[in-house]
Amino acid sequence: MTFETETVLDRRRMRRRLSFWRSAAIAGLALAFGLLAFGGERISDLAASHQIARVTVEGTITEDRDQLLLLKRLRDAGHVEALLVFVNSPGGTTAGGESLFQALRNVAEKKPVVAQFGTVAASAGYIVGLGTDHIVSHGNTITGSIGVLAQWPEVSALLDKIGVKVNEVKSGELKAEPSPFKPMDAGGRQVVQNTIDDGFRWFLSLVEQRRGIIAANVPGLVEGRIFSGREALERKLVDEIGGETEAVRWLEEKRGVTKDLKVIDWKPVREGTWGLPNAMAELAAYVLGAGAGQLARLVGRDATIGTLGLDGLVSVWQP
């Protein structure tokens, strides 16, 4: 075999090796990106290790489609023996609390669900707790604030002072009521009050049904007051004082969940993880420092900041 022939064969073998490792590298990158996009809870599905799932509900509660889909997947996950819901929220929209309540009751049809209240679990945050089978609260948790409200600014006097007039043509007298551009009349106020009353009756009936109490017999409950965890326990609004340890113990001792299971966080898969907000956060961190990057990520990702304006009926407590 000539020297030239050997050289050609060596080059061909080298090309095959390079092609193999290039293909392997591309496959590895594709797998890595796929796992990232797949989400932590789906990777847990693949591992299929028996566990207690932990879902966190914090900040402003709205009707979060990604979170509802997460609870549906969790309900059907055979390797998840129970669900622990950590609630740290002053509330949010009443409809958002209602959707979470129903999703949790759907989970409870297949596996036990326990709530652990953090610093605050009030209004719609308390509705989330009502969706579970057992509520564990810290002694100093702020909870309660049973009620529904609607708020809006009224700037007609300011507009008069600066000489601005808002013209309006509408199909009926109650369309677009209440309006920030004029004082509310009796008819508009009554419509809003009727809607609030209907939502409040639903909220109270939920409390009475789930907690086995008569709301009118609990001082301050109908009036919408808040309670500490200890006060809530006395009034049967929660079941136990403690934290995650007590919540897991209840699952093991009262609902027969396997002892010493790991508690694994399940998080919604959010779209846009690789989108513009994340890229801008990374750029801010590079140019201005890590602190600026953290702030940019907070603004871009935090649901509370993103929902400072809430539409619909609101069940929220904030001092």
Side-chain angles (χ1 to χ4, degrees):
M1 185 180 292
T2 66
F3 176 76
E4 290 80 3
T5 303
E6 290 181 353
T7 302
V8 170
L9 292 175
D10 285 342
R11 286 177 179 174
R12 288 179 179 175
R13 283 192 290 267
M14 185 177 293
R15 287 196 197 100
R16 284 196 293 268
R17 292 193 191 100
L18 287 174
S19 297
F20 171 79
W21 289 113
R22 187 182 296 116
S23 300
I26 293 172
L29 286 173
L31 178 61
F33 279 109
L35 290 175
L36 286 172
F38 210 45
E41 78 283 351
R42 297 185 187 180
I43 295 172
S44 179
D45 281 349
L46 294 175
S49 58
H50 278 255
Q51 62 188 252
I52 296 170
R54 182 199 295 118
V55 170
T56 297
V57 177
E58 60 184 351
T60 304
I61 292 173
T62 59
E63 191 167 7
D64 185 335
R65 185 170 179 270
D66 292 331
Q67 194 168 47
L68 298 177
L69 288 173
L70 170 70
L71 290 172
K72 185 176 185 299
R73 289 197 299 270
L74 194 153
R75 176 182 186 269
D76 298 330
H79 64 290
V80 174
E81 292 195 19
L83 170 61
L84 188 154
V85 185
F86 176 73
V87 184
N88 189 24
S89 169
T93 65
T94 309
E98 179 184 5
S99 64
L100 274 176
F101 169 84
Q102 189 56 60
L104 290 172
R105 293 319 302 155
N106 290 340
V107 174
E109 291 176 356
K110 286 194 170 184
K111 57 198 67 176
V113 184
V114 62
Q116 185 220 328
F117 285 175
T119 302
V120 58
S123 294
Y126 184 69
I127 293 176
V128 174
L130 293 175
T132 69
D133 304 318
H134 187 78
I135 300 175
V136 179
S137 170
H138 294 304
N140 290 302
T141 293
I142 297 297
T143 189
S145 189
I146 309 301
V148 180
L149 100 127
Q151 291 179 324
W152 62 95
E154 203 254 286
V155 297
S156 58
L158 174 62
L159 295 180
D160 288 341
K161 287 182 179 180
I162 62 177
V164 175
K165 181 178 180 181
V166 178
N167 296 307
E168 183 178 71
V169 177
K170 56 185 181 179
S171 58
E173 291 185 2
L174 296 178
K175 178 63 179 174
E177 291 290 344
S179 169
F181 304 121
K182 64 180 182 180
M184 174 174 276
D185 59 26
R189 179 173 292 277
Q190 190 58 55
V191 168
V192 175
Q193 187 64 59
N194 290 344
T195 305
I196 293 293
D197 291 344
D198 179 70
F200 185 46
R201 285 192 294 270
W202 170 82
F203 198 162
L204 276 184
S205 67
L206 201 65
V207 174
E208 293 183 328
Q209 171 195 346
R210 297 295 301 158
R211 300 306 305 172
I213 61 175
I214 299 175
N217 293 343
V218 180
L221 185 66
V222 176
E223 289 75 22
R225 66 157 286 187
I226 57 172
F227 303 93
S228 71
R230 288 178 293 272
E231 292 174 324
L233 180 63
E234 292 175 2
R235 292 159 176 80
K236 298 183 179 180
L237 299 176
V238 303
D239 298 296
E240 187 178 357
I241 298 297
E244 183 170 301
T245 299
E246 286 71 24
V248 171
R249 183 185 301 137
W250 179 83
L251 289 171
E252 293 173 346
E253 295 181 355
K254 301 299 183 181
R255 298 301 299 269
V257 172
T258 304
K259 289 191 175 183
D260 300 323
L261 288 179
K262 286 186 177 180
V263 179
I264 304 296
D265 282 307
W266 283 51
K267 297 180 181 180
V269 178
R270 303 293 186 187
E271 294 183 0
T273 304
W274 303 99
L276 181 61
N278 191 64
M280 293 301 292
E282 296 304 326
L283 179 61
Y286 177 77
V287 176
L288 302 175
Q294 291 288 357
L295 179 60
R297 292 186 190 93
L298 180 66
V299 173
R301 298 177 185 174
D302 188 80
T304 304
I305 293 177
T307 55
L308 288 177
L310 293 176
D311 295 326
L313 298 181
V314 176
S315 295
V316 65
W317 173 84
Q318 192 68 50

